[in-house]
Amino acid sequence: ELSKLILTRLDNSDELAKQFVAFEKRNPQLGVHVGFRRDCGSTMMRVAQPVVVDSGELKEFVFDGAIANYPNPDVEEDNVNYLDGIREIGVRCEYTDGRDRPRLRVSSIDFEGPFYETWPPASHSNIFIESDHKGDPPVYAREIIRAFATRAYRRPITQAEEATLVKIWKESFSNGGDLRQSIKDVILVILTSPQFLFLIESSETPKPEPLDSHELASKLSYFLWNAAPDSKTLALADRGQLAKSLDSEIERMIKDPRFEQFTSEFGSQWLSLDKFDVVEIDRKRYPKLTRDAKVELRKEPVRFLEHLIRHDLPLRNLVQSDFIVANEVVANYYGLGDRTESGFKFVAIKHDNQNLGGVLSQASILSGLSDGREANPVKRGAWVARKIVAEPPEPPPPNVPELDEDTKHLSLRERLERHRNQPGCAKCHSGIDPWGVPFEAFDAGGLFKNDKKVDARSTLPDKTEVASVNELKQYFARKRIDQVAFSFMKHLTAYAIGRDLTYNEIEFLKEKSVELKAQEYRMQDMIRFVVKSPMFLEK
């Protein structure tokens, strides 16, 4: 009934007001209050549940409502009484049926809501674009549809697509004559279409084919921004110049704030940071690992990766660095709180602690690879094998038992030896335990134990002897840096193209990635290598 009233077109404003008042009387339970502005002939509807004032003391009353329920500040050029851009919000205390009203004393009124520098806001004007045809709905609607679909599909729309969308708009507009609602109906179709939801790469043959300019624009932007390409990238694609401008575009995208979306998604997936999200920490054993500390520690690997890439540092810093990237919360957790006053901002902080630096000793990673009470060298070793050196162990056979609880009085080395002696366990653990044993020196909170009883010595799969995580870092940074680079690029490429790599693609990476060693495997060089590889440029 209310909808019918709102849609009613009446020339007699007095009659319109009477109908609204009558509606209020018939539906007192809805709490509908009508304010009628005769100066511009519009109505203000506010639908909310009434609140009872049960005492004479001042109290706070809160009413929530959508901004759309308030007057629309459209300009009325021929109305001299209309205040352009002013929203009129009335506070009333009266009945509409002539009854005496109670007295209401208002101490103060606060309005909270979305504040826009300009009106309409950008979210509106980006859809309802400026045009000389605003007074001609069919022409204006076609312009809106073409502009929005081009942005949504990340390429110029075809004539067939445009004709289909315009047909949907005409059907919707003919039902109510509402331009905005009919445009919304078309947008709903666009945003649920495969052209928007998927990165479509059209092929004409089963063989590999180069991406066209707009396909490359989408693939590059979703790789480095996790978002649609902006106007600059699309303009290059429109002119067919994107493939020749990849170096400058990659540099621009890395500098852009949207690059943080890449480091957040890729860093979380590659380093398995979701394990830190779900691990239940024993708060009595690790009182420093509070809820707030955990939130900030979760960001550390992502901000560290972002710092390495934006400053184009050598890859060796990934496994061994003389700095950490931390804010005050993270720095305090590592005992370096006196070295920064950055607040919640992450900055590079020099350290002189051999047990810090690089992803191998970051608390969120090590804590996530524990059970929340004790360190788990098996989980940590498997993580190193998969994520750092790309030598994943074979999947374990079914029903493999955990380390026996009754053997906790034994040393870690003795417990692992017993576990390996069980049928089917030795082969897998030969590629896991050597990487994990040095991490026994770090507790389930991700901090160095400083316990002399811990035996962190390990013989790695290539028979190299290490006595600590620090020596393991040196081993990776010097002796196995090629393998670390291959592992990083393998995970980076899989993320960039959205699938696992084939055998030939893995061999291509192994063979070609070493070309970057002369420049110390600079982080941005590796990104450019991936983008310019056949795996990325072909479909």
Side-chain angles (χ1 to χ4, degrees), residues 73 85 174 237 264 387 460 467:
S174 64
S264 178
K387 306 298 184 179
L460 303 181

Side-chain angles (χ1 to χ4, degrees), residues 11 105 186 214 219 226 236 281 327 379 390 476 494 535:
D11 295 330
R105 184 161 73 94
V186 177
H214 291 95
K219 196 168 186 177
N226 201 25
L236 288 172
I281 300 297
N327 58 17
K379 288 183 179 180
F476 286 139
M535 296 167 284

Side-chain angles (χ1 to χ4, degrees), residues 67 71-74 85 87 114 116-121 124:
I67 198 71
N72 193 329
D74 290 340
R87 288 189 174 275
Y116 301 103
E117 295 289 343
T118 60
W119 187 267
H124 179 279

Side-chain angles (χ1 to χ4, degrees), residues 296 325-332 340 342-347 349:
E296 300 305 318
V325 176
N327 58 17
E328 287 188 15
V329 177
V330 175
N332 279 324
T340 181
S342 63
F344 286 104
K345 181 180 179 181
F346 279 79
V347 297
I349 302 173

Side-chain angles (χ1 to χ4, degrees), residues 97-159:
D97 57 3
R99 286 179 292 166
D100 292 336
R101 64 180 183 270
R103 305 304 298 174
L104 181 67
R105 184 161 73 94
V106 179
S107 174
S108 64
I109 301 175
D110 292 330
F111 293 101
E112 294 184 7
F115 174 77
Y116 301 103
E117 295 289 343
T118 60
W119 187 267
S123 58
H124 179 279
S125 56
N126 285 342
I127 297 175
F128 292 89
I129 57 177
E130 286 297 321
S131 171
D132 295 332
H133 302 103
K134 284 189 175 182
D136 188 348
V139 176
Y140 186 43
R142 185 180 289 273
E143 292 178 345
I144 293 173
I145 291 169
R146 185 185 299 122
F148 185 84
T150 296
R151 289 168 52 210
Y153 295 168
R154 302 162 305 266
R155 57 168 174 76
I157 62 172
T158 65
Q159 292 183 350

Side-chain angles (χ1 to χ4, degrees), residues 52 76 170 248 340 350-351 374-375 378 381 415 475 518 528:
V52 177
E76 297 187 11
K170 288 180 178 179
S248 59
T340 181
K350 290 284 186 178
H351 69 80
E374 299 285 351
V378 177
R415 293 171 66 197
Y475 166 82
R528 282 189 285 268

Side-chain angles (χ1 to χ4, degrees), residues 260-281 294-306 318 334 346 358-370 383 387-388 491:
E260 295 177 8
Q261 298 175 168
F262 159 78
T263 53
S264 178
E265 290 299 323
F266 171 67
S268 297
Q269 293 181 30
W270 168 42
L271 300 173
S272 299
L273 298 183
D274 58 306
K275 296 183 182 299
F276 186 56
D277 297 333
V278 300
V279 67
E280 290 291 336
I281 300 297
K294 193 173 179 180
V295 170
E296 300 305 318
L297 287 168
R298 172 64 164 77
K299 302 174 185 176
E300 182 194 2
V302 172
R303 295 289 176 260
F304 180 71
L305 177 62
E306 181 183 318
L318 188 69
Y334 291 127
F346 279 79
V359 297
L360 297 180
S361 51
Q362 290 178 344
S364 58
I365 294 175
L366 296 179
S367 182
L369 298 169
S370 73
W383 179 86
K387 306 298 184 179
I388 304 302
H491 289 94

Side-chain angles (χ1 to χ4, degrees), residues 302-315:
V302 172
R303 295 289 176 260
F304 180 71
L305 177 62
E306 181 183 318
H307 180 86
L308 296 185
I309 296 176
R310 280 195 162 147
H311 289 80
D312 198 19
L313 298 179
L315 178 73

